[in-house]
Amino acid sequence: MSTAAASSRKRRRSAEQLAAQGRDISVSEFFAKNRHLLGFDNPRKALLTTVKEAVDNSLDACEEAGILPEIWVQIESLGGNRYRVSVQDNGPGILKKQIPLVFGKLLYGSKFHRLRMSRGQQGIGISAAGMYGMLTTGRPVKIISKTGPRRPAHYYEIQIDTRRNKPEILNGRGQGVDIPPGEKGRQYMEQHGIHWEDVPHGTRVTIELEARHQRGRGSVEEYLEQTAIANPHVTIHYTDPDGQQRTIPRSAEVLPPEPKEIKPHPYGVELGMLSTMLKQSREQTLSQFLTRSFSRVSQSVAKKICETAGLSTRARPGRIGRHEAERLYQAIQQTRIQAPATDCLAPIGEQLLLKGLHHVVPGQFYAAHTRPPAVYRGNPFQIEVALAYGGAAPTRKVSRELLEELLQESDARTLRQFLIHTFNGIGADGAERILKASGLGVRKVPAKLRKAEIDKLHQAMQHVNPDEGQTMTLIRYANRVPLQFQQAACAITQAVMNVNWRSYGLSHSRGSLPAGPVTVVVHVASVWVPFTSESKEAIAPYPEILRELRLALQAVGRKLGMYLRRRARVKQQEDRRNLFLRYLDEVATAVSILDNTDKDHLYQLLLEVAKRKTAEADMKLDRSGRLVGPEEELQDESVLIVEDRPELWITRSSNGQQAHGETSETED
Amino acid sequence: MAKRTSKKSNGTARLSKQDRHTLAQLTELAHSVVRAAERKRDPHLDIPARSLSNVRFNKSRRIIEMGRNTNRRHLFNLNQAKSYMQTLLVAAGCKQLIDQGKTTSIRGLYYMLKHTIKGTKEETFDDQSECDPVIEDLEVLVRCLREELHLYAQKKGDMVGPLVLVDNGDEIDCSRMGSGGYGIPSIVEPERIQFKKCTADFVLHVEKDTVWQRFNEDKFWKKHNCILTHGGGQPPRGVRRLLYRLHHELGLPIYCLLDNDPWGYYIYSVIKQGSINLAFESQRMAVPDARYLGLRSKDFRECELSDSVKIALTDTDRKRARQIAQYPWFAHKKKWQKEIQQLLENDFKLEVEALISKDISYVTEVYVPERIAAGDFLD
Ligand SMILES: Nc1ncnc2c1ncn2[C@@H]1O[C@H](COP(=O)(O)OP(=O)(O)OP(=O)(O)O)[C@@H](O)[C@H]1O
Ligand SMILES: [Mg+2]
């Protein structure tokens, strides 16, 4: 609306009237009205977000305390659309007086005011989840936390006062309850229906909420699986609403290195921020200000900056004017300053990424690449990429007998479910296609299939290639937390789509994800991840981040390209060998008919010539192509090439566990 | 192997001199493979090139002779391995035919050799068109006619006329063959066919069956005392070899009545000088003295034909005509150059049947007798 139009209208309210209406908006109130910003847009997502906020906090707390995390996640269906989510960890626990604040006050957190890599950063997460639960069910958040084996467990039932952004404690006459350690406490818990996994210390939070449970994309199950990929040091126990239990054991026994807190790097500080820092500084000299407020600024670097800015090293920071501050800002940009310390970041590492990915995603080729740390706006960040390629779909390799057995064991309620949960990686889409090809109904009960129906299913499984028309599966992480939503809005997706995957042997049209049986895992680790919104679903496209993403993706892309070319070459050599061998027998037979030569003898002679000839031809290919010595290049630590063993990707429900790599119990 | 040798010893007794020669050639082929393998070399075959660039016109003998260009076919070459194998299969097949004293059609041989290659889903030959060129390769490779390899092509070509011959022991009077005529076999070698009695003055060879029927019905051969043959288009080797023998052994002049188009010219060229494809056979098949009676480019005007019999030349026709004009054996013949030039100028072609538009028996009663009498032909 133009100002002219506005002023021409009759004033409705005076400035005074408006001022009288204005009042502080409670953050809690604001978010209650804008729940979508926090990831509570719909009941299904609300369930996931609740689990996620709690698990993220648990993992943060464990890692910070140096404890190998073990997490229990339980979702109970309370009938209708009500669910109860409980998440427990074996972390350090929370001090009594802090518990109400943590769970009952938005924007209370230990992570906001520091530059340190962690999953949570805003101090909103868990209290928002609790608030959502309260708003939809009226039930309070319940917390038990214990800081040591001989310490009491603090038990709280908390509500959040959305108007005042303050916790309200409901139990123990507003004081909470302390449950003593040992037998007495155990009895108390039993009496009051409080569940507690018996660990010496840890925290358990329980939230009741309106939600919907559905497997597949964006589900709790997906979140937990993806969490396992990026966090191989975590053990997760999961009980789903059907009461099914499943454990994903840790594959690494070491904690990631502890990320250190850092001071901001000078390159990342904006002019306004710099001015504020100068004003607030208590340092005596500009030189001291620079060396003590920033990382990587030594005396000599400070001197250089001051010189370039035309300022005295001994100037008082508080007295630096606007123009001088601007000169200082420019000078910082012009001075060469070492990149920020890397120990503030804890990348997963190429080895563990490979391990984690191989653990969960079927494939034949795995490559990982961790970029050196870089900086955007003074915040160190680091990009890691891992890629899994290929692997025949497990559905195509299953024998008729094994299929029958699997069907009998299965307690899945529908065939669709059976397929998705038994054969890892085929996805809902693949299951759909198999069922369509089989002509069997989606809702058939697996255990009750008749022989003829099993035959049909088996045939369909062999004929349908679930990989066909498949596009790349992209799994995104920020500080080891999977990002399951807003894929299209994310800088990671943007970077993946902008890489020319065709030059690495995948079919790919720009502006979309490449095609093929590929899974790409991208991890952005940073002391401050620039999310596009509070719901922490997509990463903002800072040019520095996009650049690092591109370089990392290209690094694994090149390795994939090498692998695929090598595979093509090996196939070509094999074809050649076969071609020659194929005809040798015919030739030897014909010659023996013609001149009575001993056929077998001639065959052997020809075979030797063939071997020599193939070797020569293979060599030629080496010299002519740009494939010189790809074997050596590919034999690096960041690459894993495995035999195609589709049977490893079959989950047997009898033991309730996923078949994992070499540790799996599968029958051939 | 031993078994096979003992069986063969029976057959060997019946081998003709020609058969023994052919066998020796085939065996040599096999020896070369063994020799290469023993020296750990890549076995190969040097197959004479069957192309225009590899034929030479022998001016004094007036026939096409094959040049020395060869194409090397390797066993250990991705593109050649299969045809190499196929060549040896065909050789082995022919050797078995000779051993057993049997002959077969080229289609029969194809079926004899076709099977699935052990350990694969691949066939030795996918279809006959894959086998036929390999047979021609073998012919030039071992310099033996396919008939000498105990193979024959589909029989086409008939003959009538005052000639008595003995075919495989049966006496045949070619003047008493009714309306069908004597079907010319594909093997007409003296071992198989002997001429017993001939009173004909010349041979009239026409292009195809339909025209031949016309002449036979009009008893042209009786009136003009000649032998009447046709070759169903491009004459097969049997027909060419027979013409060769009629000319060389019985001294009969050969007149050809073919369509007035590049194809007709080419048929004449093959009868006269030999084919480019199998140039090495020319000396046994070519009749350099054969005469081209018609149809001629001038006939449209001379015979006063109606416009409706014209058939427009196609681009390929024009191209072929120019190519034929370049053949060394036509290049220096002014009359031929004029003939082809005229065809191009006419820009239409004529079939022999065009003459029927004048009168049903115009060709037999007027055209041919007049031309022969006047000695109006191309040479
Ligand atoms: N399971 C836990 N064990 C120990 N401390 C915890 C646990 N859960 C939360 N905390 C503490 O409570 C604080 C607030 O958590 P909350 O999830 O609200 O915010 P955050 O994790 O800091 O940031 P974000 O909003 O990004 O999740 C955390 O900073 C942490 O110090
Ligand atoms: Mg949190």
Side-chain angles (χ1 to χ4, degrees), chain A residues 576 579-580 582-587 590-595 597 602 605-606 608-610 612-613, chain B residues 1 4 27 30-31 34 38 40-42 76-78 81-82 85 88 91 95 115 117-118 120 122:
Chain A
R576 181 183 306 122
L579 187 80
F580 287 167
R582 228 169 28 231
Y583 300 143
L584 289 192
D585 190 59
E586 294 288 339
V587 169
V591 170
S592 77
I593 290 174
L594 283 167
D595 75 348
T597 308
L602 178 63
L605 288 176
L606 287 173
E608 269 172 51
V609 186
R612 214 197 66 220
K613 275 278 162 187
Chain B
M1 279 292 102
R4 184 171 287 158
T27 315
H31 286 336
V34 178
E38 274 169 352
K40 304 217 177 344
R41 293 266 167 78
D42 176 4
F76 296 111
N77 174 309
L78 286 190
K82 187 162 191 183
M85 174 220 40
L88 283 165
K95 141 108 172 158
H115 60 260
I117 297 166
K118 208 165 81 189
T120 72
E122 194 180 339

Side-chain angles (χ1 to χ4, degrees), chain B residues 283-313:
Chain B
Q283 49 176 318
R284 309 178 46 182
M285 295 210 197
V287 185
D289 286 326
R291 291 153 180 178
Y292 185 86
L293 203 56
L295 266 46
R296 306 271 298 273
S297 307
K298 60 176 186 173
D299 290 344
F300 178 75
R301 212 179 302 141
E302 266 183 25
C303 306
E304 295 165 328
L305 300 176
S306 75
D307 272 350
S308 56
V309 300
K310 289 180 183 174
I311 302 171
L313 288 186

Side-chain angles (χ1 to χ4, degrees), chain A residues 16 119 150 281 445 451 656:
Chain A
E16 288 73 22
R119 294 172 179 81
R150 259 173 282 279
S281 173
V445 180
K451 289 252 185 260

Side-chain angles (χ1 to χ4, degrees), chain A residues 53 56-57 111 120 125-126 536:
Chain A
E53 291 298 345
D56 287 354
N57 281 352
K111 309 165 196 169
I126 196 62
K536 302 190 281 188

Side-chain angles (χ1 to χ4, degrees), chain A residues 70-249:
Chain A
E70 184 163 3
I71 312 279
W72 290 263
V73 177
Q74 183 174 15
I75 301 178
E76 294 161 274
S77 171
L78 304 178
N81 46 10
R82 274 206 184 188
Y83 288 86
R84 183 187 292 133
V85 170
S86 309
V87 175
Q88 186 182 331
D89 58 55
N90 61 343
I94 309 172
L95 293 179
K96 181 175 167 75
K97 67 173 190 324
Q98 278 184 340
I99 295 175
L101 296 171
V102 165
F103 295 96
K105 183 177 167 67
L106 286 180
L107 295 176
Y108 179 90
S110 52
K111 309 165 196 169
F112 187 81
H113 298 282
R114 62 181 194 193
L115 279 176
R116 184 179 192 274
M117 179 184 156
S118 58
R119 294 172 179 81
Q121 56 190 25
Q122 296 156 332
I124 303 174
I126 196 62
S127 8
M131 196 168 70
Y132 174 84
M134 205 191 73
L135 287 171
T136 53
T137 67
R139 306 281 294 155
V141 182
K142 295 175 189 165
I143 301 108
I144 311 175
S145 193
K146 201 171 145 71
T147 54
R150 259 173 282 279
R151 301 278 177 76
H154 312 299
Y155 176 56
Y156 278 98
E157 296 181 3
I158 298 174
Q159 277 195 340
I160 185 167
D161 180 338
T162 51
R163 285 188 58 185
R164 292 184 303 149
N165 186 21
K166 266 193 171 167
E168 229 176 291
I169 300 155
L170 304 183
N171 66 337
R173 278 184 235 96
Q175 298 300 310
V177 175
D178 277 358
I179 304 167
E183 193 47 43
K184 236 170 114 191
R186 207 164 292 142
Q187 273 173 18
Y188 179 91
M189 289 200 214
E190 218 162 272
Q191 277 161 19
H192 289 78
I194 302 168
H195 191 83
W196 174 254
E197 301 292 339
D198 203 6
V199 288
H201 44 76
T203 305
R204 182 181 187 95
V205 51
T206 302
I207 297 173
E208 277 179 37
L209 71 161
E210 255 182 28
R212 199 160 66 86
H213 176 257
Q214 191 193 328
R215 293 175 213 270
R217 275 247 166 138
S219 64
V220 172
E221 289 78 8
E222 184 190 70
Y223 162 75
L224 294 176
E225 257 170 35
Q226 295 188 353
T227 299
I229 295 178
N231 299 274
H233 61 291
V234 178
T235 292
I236 300 171
H237 306 277
Y238 173 54
T239 311
D240 72 12
D242 301 335
Q244 278 221 32
Q245 289 190 11
R246 174 177 164 192
T247 295
I248 308 179

Side-chain angles (χ1 to χ4, degrees), chain B residues 209-255:
Chain B
D209 179 48
T210 46
V211 178
W212 184 90
Q213 301 273 15
R214 172 92 263 111
F215 279 89
N216 191 25
E217 204 178 294
D218 290 351
K219 292 288 174 256
F220 177 88
W221 54 273
K222 255 186 201 157
K223 266 182 238 162
H224 298 275
N225 195 32
C226 71
I227 293 172
L228 187 62
T229 59
H230 81 89
Q234 175 71 263
R237 296 136 195 254
V239 174
R240 286 169 58 200
R241 179 74 176 142
L242 188 75
L243 290 176
Y244 176 96
R245 288 191 60 200
L246 290 172
H247 178 73
H248 284 95
E249 290 173 30
L250 305 178
L252 303 178
I254 314 272
Y255 294 97

Side-chain angles (χ1 to χ4, degrees), chain A residues 278-296:
Chain A
L278 282 162
K279 290 255 149 55
Q280 293 175 346
S281 173
R282 291 198 196 103
E283 304 296 342
Q284 297 298 310
T285 67
L286 190 52
S287 170
Q288 276 171 2
F289 165 77
L290 289 170
T291 51
R292 292 190 189 157
S293 323
F294 295 107
S295 64
R296 298 306 201 195

